[in-house]
Amino acid sequence: MCLFASLLLHKQDKGFEDAKAVIESLKNKGVSAIGAAGFCWAKVVVELAHINAGVLLHPSFVTVDDIKEVKAPLAVLGAEFDHLSPPALVKQFEEILAQFDGFVKIFPGVAHGWTVRYKAEDEAEVKAAEEAHNDALEWFAKHVK
């Protein structure tokens, strides 16, 4: 599917509403520890209230103002080559998150989407994706209890 068609079919506001419904359902079932990870369209995670922690992996459409509104511990895993969240923007996120429980890491040599669209034959890309996945899991293990 081309990117344009994908963007038309998968809108962020629908993702946010779907995620809210899932979180509400989990809470109604007695689940009290909830984390959320956002790949690419990570803005959904920063808009969610009542989660224990969030991880943004190569986020897009997330602004400094969005990060200022985050209420849960947040990790941001960015790419060195990312036109949607360039390292300069991710560094601004880091300055804000330094004021409370936040973690920011920029992965060298990778581009936007590297955690899910890496080339399996590229050892460096695989290693960076695995490292990001481990960082996300460690963040959740620390904050979602």
Side-chain angles (χ1 to χ4, degrees):
M1 177 179 299
C2 76
L3 178 61
F4 182 71
S6 179
L7 291 173
L8 290 175
L9 289 173
H10 305 101
K11 297 185 187 274
Q12 283 191 46
D13 55 347
K14 171 125 173 49
F16 175 64
E17 291 304 319
D18 290 348
K20 277 190 349 185
V22 169
I23 289 170
E24 187 63 32
S25 177
L26 290 169
K27 288 189 175 278
N28 288 338
K29 293 179 187 216
V31 176
S32 61
I34 299 172
F39 294 80
C40 189
W41 281 10
K43 187 170 180 121
V44 171
V45 174
V46 299
E47 292 179 354
L48 291 173
H50 311 298
I51 60 172
N52 297 83
V55 178
L56 312 182
L57 299 100
H58 45 86
S60 35
F61 312 116
V62 177
T63 68
V64 168
D65 287 338
D66 292 329
I67 297 297
K68 288 178 181 176
E69 297 299 318
V70 171
K71 305 290 187 250
L74 185 68
V76 179
L77 307 178
E80 178 182 8
F81 307 111
D82 193 334
H83 62 286
L84 295 169
S85 286
L89 178 60
V90 174
K91 288 289 188 187
Q92 290 178 337
F93 296 167
E94 184 174 37
E95 291 172 16
I96 296 162
L97 294 173
Q99 299 171 23
F100 65 99
D101 198 357
F103 172 73
V104 173
K105 186 174 188 178
I106 298 172
F107 286 77
V110 296
H112 183 85
W114 93 97
T115 64
V116 292
R117 295 186 313 221
Y118 56 88
K119 296 179 200 90
E121 63 278 0
D122 185 325
E123 193 174 309
E125 284 189 15
V126 170
K127 183 178 180 216
E130 289 174 349
E131 184 178 337
H133 297 158
N134 286 331
D135 288 344
L137 291 172
E138 288 174 10
W139 186 255
F140 288 133
K142 178 180 177 184
H143 294 286
V144 182
K145 298 177 183 186

